[in-house]
Amino acid sequence: LQGRALAGCAGLRSASVRSGGTAVVRTGKRILIVDDARTMTNIVAQILKDANYSDVDCLYDGVSALAALRQKEYDLVITDWQMQPISGVELTKLIKADAQLSQVHVILITGLHGKEDEAWLGGADGYLTKPIEPRDLVQKVEDVLFTVTRLVS
């Protein structure tokens, strides 16, 4: 895939938080980060790695993201709002309109303020504004992934 990073977002250090002497790893949740700014992609990926999400991939454009979503099952896409040629809002709409992908959750991240309504109308499951605090990102990911899981189970 064009714009593809190595699985796990190349160059990130592994993190393992210990709880009671045992490493806690959040398994079973596949996350795709999409942002044309590689620095931002690496920051988001590192925050998730530090929170023990082990299956994280990075891509740098919406076209590659759509192709990856059709090749691998993801639970969550975290995407930047402002990208070319497909914006994060357009990517969200394409995901939600595709019968095979419509169950994938999407969190939009933007430096633009006052865009919450547009994010929700586009079908996003979550929304964050830059600058991102690590705890806010992890909380939003957990809210989106695990609240829905509890409601479905």
Side-chain angles (χ1 to χ4, degrees), residues 9 12 34 43 68 99 105:
C9 304
L12 298 180
V34 187
I43 289 168
H105 304 290

Side-chain angles (χ1 to χ4, degrees), residues 42-56:
N42 288 336
I43 289 168
V44 171
Q46 190 62 59
I47 291 168
L48 295 175
K49 292 280 185 188
D50 289 346
N52 293 315
Y53 286 95
S54 59
D55 195 350
V56 178

Side-chain angles (χ1 to χ4, degrees), residues 85-105:
I86 298 174
S87 73
V89 174
E90 291 167 341
L91 177 60
T92 302
K93 289 177 182 178
L94 290 167
I95 290 169
K96 297 301 181 174
D98 186 312
Q100 289 181 306
L101 304 177
S102 64
Q103 297 304 308
V104 176
H105 304 290

Side-chain angles (χ1 to χ4, degrees), residues 4 20 23 25 27 34 48-50 54 76 78-79 83 94 96 100 104 120 124 127 129 131 134-135 140 146 149:
R4 176 106 179 140
V25 178
T27 58
V34 187
L48 295 175
K49 292 280 185 188
D50 289 346
S54 59
L76 175 64
I78 300 173
T79 185
M83 297 186 302
L94 290 167
K96 297 301 181 174
Q100 289 181 306
V104 176
W120 302 130
Y127 174 87
T129 55
R135 70 180 171 274
K140 184 67 68 177
F146 298 109
T149 301

Side-chain angles (χ1 to χ4, degrees), residues 70-123:
R70 291 188 174 103
Q71 292 179 2
K72 180 178 178 180
E73 256 185 62
Y74 287 96
D75 299 290
L76 175 64
V77 173
I78 300 173
T79 185
D80 183 43
W81 188 295
Q82 295 179 287
M83 297 186 302
Q84 293 296 328
I86 298 174
S87 73
V89 174
E90 291 167 341
L91 177 60
T92 302
K93 289 177 182 178
L94 290 167
I95 290 169
K96 297 301 181 174
D98 186 312
Q100 289 181 306
L101 304 177
S102 64
Q103 297 304 308
V104 176
H105 304 290
V106 180
I107 296 174
L108 277 163
I109 296 177
T110 185
L112 305 171
H113 295 273
K115 294 288 191 175
E116 292 88 348
D117 289 345
E118 192 175 339
W120 302 130
L121 290 173

Side-chain angles (χ1 to χ4, degrees), residues 26-44:
R26 293 180 168 107
T27 58
K29 299 299 178 187
R30 295 184 179 130
I31 301 173
L32 177 62
I33 302 166
V34 187
D35 196 321
D36 54 356
R38 290 176 189 256
T39 301
M40 190 63 188
T41 304
N42 288 336
I43 289 168
V44 171

